[in-house]
Amino acid sequence: MLPSQCLCINLRRAARGVSRYYDGALDGFGINVAQYSLLNNLVRLDQPSISSLAEAMGLDRSTLGRNLRVLEGEGLVTLAEGDDLRNRIVVLTEAGHARLAAALPAWEAAQQKLIDKLGAEKRATLLALLDELA
């Protein structure tokens, strides 16, 4: 790889590398890092609307919609009518809960390997810096 002093190039390169690492950890579970994150956020938010889920994940609605269609096709999520006819909520199915639970140990092992590689202090610094940029 060509060295660069550009923050954007280096952040994108690092993000691709980390995504590949987590995708590798999720091999065999039928989901990728973006899908794992989406399923995990559904647990945390407990049946959010599409808009609130998109906002929480920092995604636009069209990107989220494409990702949800894939997960819905696999039976991992369903879309239901919300309180308002214009509002749809996203529900994690039993199959979605099971897939997330099955993948969790692999995700946690991958997470721990990166934490061990960085060390606690660098991890905390990295999280703080990324939070500032987000």
Side-chain angles (χ1 to χ4, degrees):
M1 283 187 265
L2 293 173
S4 173
Q5 294 299 306
C6 175
L7 292 174
C8 182
I9 289 171
N10 282 291
L11 280 169
R12 289 176 56 93
R13 184 182 295 161
R16 285 190 303 271
V18 170
S19 290
R20 277 190 307 271
Y21 173 76
Y22 279 97
D23 280 340
L26 294 172
D27 274 350
F29 296 101
I31 54 175
N32 62 32
V33 66
Q35 294 165 334
Y36 180 90
S37 175
L38 200 158
L39 295 174
N40 199 42
N41 276 291
L42 286 175
V43 170
R44 294 172 59 202
L45 297 172
D46 191 29
Q47 300 186 2
S49 68
I50 292 175
S51 296
S52 62
L53 180 59
E55 184 179 328
M57 294 186 68
L59 298 172
D60 60 74
R61 283 179 51 100
S62 62
T63 299
L64 178 61
R66 285 190 299 274
N67 290 327
L68 286 173
R69 278 190 290 282
V70 171
L71 295 173
E72 187 177 31
E74 293 185 20
L76 303 178
V77 302
T78 59
L79 298 178
E81 296 298 325
D83 296 334
D84 181 335
L85 292 176
R86 298 169 294 167
N87 194 16
R88 305 222 19 204
I89 59 169
V90 186
V91 179
L92 188 62
T93 65
E94 286 303 316
H97 279 285
R99 182 84 52 99
L100 194 55
L104 181 61
W107 181 270
E108 288 177 337
Q111 187 88 301
Q112 192 59 52
K113 280 185 181 178
L114 282 183
I115 292 168
D116 293 345
K117 181 177 182 176
L118 286 176
E121 189 174 320
K122 283 183 182 177
R123 175 186 185 256
T125 300
L126 177 59
L127 289 175
L129 289 170
L130 292 172
D131 193 46
E132 273 186 55
L133 294 174

